[in-house]
Amino acid sequence: MEVEMVESAAARKNVGEICVVCEQPGFKGIHLYTSFICTECERDITATDTKDPKYTFIIKQLKKATKPEIYS
Ligand SMILES: [Zn+2]
Protein backbone atom coordinates (compact mmCIF):
# COMPACT_ATOMS: atom_id res chain seq x y z
CA MET A 1 0.00 0.00 0.00
CA GLU A 2 1.28 3.36 -0.97
CA VAL A 3 1.72 5.94 1.73
CA GLU A 4 0.94 9.40 0.57
CA MET A 5 1.83 12.69 2.17
CA VAL A 6 -1.22 14.71 3.01
CA GLU A 7 -1.01 17.86 1.02
CA SER A 8 -3.36 20.77 0.79
CA ALA A 9 -5.18 21.62 -2.39
CA ALA A 10 -2.92 24.63 -2.84
CA ALA A 11 0.20 22.52 -2.51
CA ARG A 12 -1.11 20.12 -5.11
CA LYS A 13 -1.55 23.03 -7.45
CA ASN A 14 2.09 23.94 -6.80
CA VAL A 15 1.32 27.47 -5.72
CA GLY A 16 1.95 26.91 -2.06
CA GLU A 17 0.10 28.57 0.74
CA ILE A 18 0.93 31.84 2.40
CA CYS A 19 2.25 31.34 5.88
CA VAL A 20 0.50 33.65 8.33
CA VAL A 21 3.68 34.27 10.31
CA CYS A 22 6.39 34.98 7.74
CA GLU A 23 3.92 35.75 4.93
CA GLN A 24 5.93 33.65 2.51
CA PRO A 25 4.50 30.86 0.39
CA GLY A 26 5.27 27.42 1.66
CA PHE A 27 4.40 23.87 0.74
CA LYS A 28 4.93 22.13 4.02
CA GLY A 29 3.43 23.14 7.27
CA ILE A 30 0.45 22.91 9.55
CA HIS A 31 -3.00 24.40 9.54
CA LEU A 32 -4.27 26.40 12.44
CA TYR A 33 -7.97 26.96 11.91
CA THR A 34 -7.98 28.13 8.30
CA SER A 35 -4.49 29.57 8.45
CA PHE A 36 -1.31 28.02 7.21
CA ILE A 37 1.94 27.97 9.17
CA CYS A 38 5.06 26.78 7.40
CA THR A 39 7.34 24.22 9.04
CA GLU A 40 10.00 26.85 9.70
CA CYS A 41 7.64 29.09 11.62
CA GLU A 42 6.11 26.12 13.36
CA ARG A 43 9.61 25.28 14.59
CA ASP A 44 10.15 28.92 15.56
CA ILE A 45 6.99 28.91 17.64
CA THR A 46 8.13 25.92 19.63
CA ALA A 47 11.80 26.97 19.82
CA THR A 48 11.44 30.66 20.60
CA ASP A 49 11.45 31.77 24.18
CA THR A 50 8.26 33.51 25.24
CA LYS A 51 10.37 36.47 26.43
CA ASP A 52 11.89 36.85 22.98
CA PRO A 53 10.46 39.79 20.98
CA LYS A 54 10.26 37.41 18.05
CA TYR A 55 7.73 35.36 19.98
CA THR A 56 5.58 38.44 20.50
CA PHE A 57 5.71 39.04 16.77
CA ILE A 58 4.68 35.47 16.02
CA ILE A 59 1.76 35.68 18.43
CA LYS A 60 0.69 38.96 16.86
CA GLN A 61 0.72 37.35 13.43
CA LEU A 62 -1.22 34.36 14.72
CA LYS A 63 -3.86 36.53 16.34
CA LYS A 64 -4.30 38.35 13.07
CA ALA A 65 -4.82 35.00 11.40
CA THR A 66 -7.13 33.42 13.92
CA LYS A 67 -9.31 36.48 14.34
CA PRO A 68 -10.56 37.34 10.90
CA GLU A 69 -12.13 40.71 10.52
CA ILE A 70 -15.84 40.23 10.31
CA TYR A 71 -17.93 43.20 9.42
CA SER A 72 -21.34 41.61 9.55
ZN1 LIG B 1 6.35 30.86 7.87
Side-chain angles (χ1 to χ4, degrees):
M1 199 173 127
E2 208 174 303
V3 179
E4 225 178 317
M5 282 283 290
V6 177
E7 287 175 293
S8 71
R12 275 195 293 273
K13 278 187 270 176
N14 285 320
V15 291
E17 286 187 84
I18 305 299
C19 168
V20 295
V21 181
C22 63
E23 296 174 344
Q24 297 298 310
F27 292 99
K28 282 184 176 179
I30 57 160
H31 282 104
L32 183 73
Y33 304 100
T34 55
S35 304
F36 173 75
I37 300 166
C38 72
T39 38
E40 274 179 58
C41 291
E42 188 204 344
R43 207 180 304 136
D44 271 358
I45 293 164
T46 50
T48 308
D49 194 277
T50 53
K51 291 183 200 80
D52 196 314
K54 194 178 170 185
Y55 190 84
T56 314
F57 170 76
I58 293 168
I59 295 302
K60 203 182 89 188
Q61 294 291 87
L62 289 178
K63 277 186 182 158
K64 213 166 67 180
T66 56
K67 283 185 192 163
E69 291 170 56
I70 298 163
Y71 296 102
S72 62

